[in-house]
Amino acid sequence: MFRSRVLVLLFRGLLLLSAFTACYSKQYTQTFVSNSNFDNPERWVGHGVPCAEDSIVFNEDQVVSIFVQTNASIKELYFPLNGEFIFADGVVWSADESLSPCVGDDHGDHVLTYNSDPYNWFDIGNWQGSDENGDELSSKDLLDIEKIPCDFDTAAFPLKQSWMVSMPEDINLHRLVIWNQDFDSATFSNYRTTGRGRYQFTGSGVISAERAICSDVTGCACR
């Protein structure tokens, strides 16, 4: 009887171990939810998003990729020496105070500095997973390793946003989508040499996106 219980416990232990060592049995889409947009208040140090009469400072040694999707009234602006600003159609920057999106107490004479620190690809807070039906996955149901793109996932960077992402290690994916455009290993490598790509994706890591498929119903481990 004692030996039987030991065997049962051992069997259950093996099942539990396999559940934790497997990555997952389905292919998910992981969407990058952080951004370096101009109107992202988390990026500004000083007084939130710039308003009329504010001075805007980008340190000269900062490298930025910023998507601008709202009009802005700017009193004073110090550009970085290296980077890009992507303006949405119809967006205007001017000294005209009426263009400011801020109202009431948001107006004032402040100096705001843009924080250009890149996001880390492997930070689980930067991603939101969804299943094959497009339904968002609950983070409480996932292991940490499942909260970033794995070998068999699609990593998606949505339209009308920009990013500065550090890739300190090599990354294996099923598929990579940037602004609704598919990239494989070769085309993404070329993209990183363009004016836009070299600001958005930094670090020594290389992305391999070769449409890998997990055929094991119990799940496949991330490499």
Side-chain angles (χ1 to χ4, degrees):
M1 179 65 70
F2 176 75
R3 180 176 298 176
S4 298
R5 288 182 177 177
V6 170
L7 290 175
V8 170
L9 289 174
L10 178 60
F11 179 70
R12 289 177 177 173
L14 289 174
L15 287 178
L16 182 62
L17 179 61
S18 66
F20 277 93
T21 55
C23 182
Y24 28 70
S25 58
K26 295 183 179 179
Q27 294 180 296
Y28 296 141
T29 295
Q30 299 282 356
T31 300
F32 199 81
V33 293
S34 299
N35 66 71
S36 58
N37 292 358
F38 184 82
D39 62 354
N40 181 355
E42 296 179 358
R43 280 288 175 180
W44 292 100
V45 179
H47 192 68
V49 177
C51 297
E53 299 301 317
D54 286 341
S55 297
I56 301 174
V57 177
F58 296 91
N59 293 330
E60 64 178 24
D61 58 346
Q62 289 181 326
V63 177
V64 299
S65 176
I66 299 174
F67 184 74
V68 184
Q69 56 192 135
T70 56
N71 295 336
S73 174
I74 299 173
K75 172 186 176 182
E76 198 171 26
L77 176 62
Y78 296 88
F79 277 111
L81 296 178
N82 205 358
E84 66 168 357
F85 291 80
I86 308 167
F87 285 80
D89 291 342
V91 168
V92 176
W93 278 5
S94 169
D96 183 356
E97 187 173 336
S98 66
L99 291 175
S100 174
C102 307
V103 294
D105 294 337
D106 287 330
H107 284 279
D109 187 6
H110 305 95
V111 177
L112 285 79
T113 302
Y114 188 85
N115 175 14
S116 68
D117 292 341
Y119 297 105
N120 191 313
W121 179 285
F122 298 100
D123 184 344
I124 61 177
N126 292 326
W127 300 95
Q128 171 61 57
S130 57
D131 61 21
E132 63 272 18
N133 297 318
D135 297 325
E136 290 189 355
L137 302 172
S138 173
S139 61
K140 66 181 181 180
D141 296 330
L142 302 174
L143 300 174
D144 281 354
I145 196 173
E146 297 175 298
K147 297 176 184 178
I148 59 175
C150 194
D151 303 46
F152 310 99
D153 288 341
T154 294
F157 291 82
L159 285 167
K160 298 183 179 180
Q161 292 188 11
S162 191
W163 325 268
M164 295 174 292
V165 183
S166 173
M167 303 185 303
E169 302 175 20
D170 291 349
I171 298 159
N172 295 312
L173 299 172
H174 169 71
R175 183 179 174 217
L176 175 64
V177 180
I178 303 173
W179 281 28
N180 286 351
Q181 180 179 349
D182 273 282
F183 289 83
D184 59 21
S185 304
T187 54
F188 179 70
S189 179
N190 291 334
Y191 179 74
R192 290 187 70 179
T193 66
T194 66
R196 179 167 299 177
R198 65 193 177 104
Y199 300 129
Q200 292 179 337
F201 297 94
T202 61
S204 59
V206 175
I207 288 183
S208 175
E210 300 299 341
R211 301 280 180 163
I213 295 176
C214 176
S215 57
D216 188 339
V217 295
T218 64
C220 298
C222 285
R223 296 189 295 271

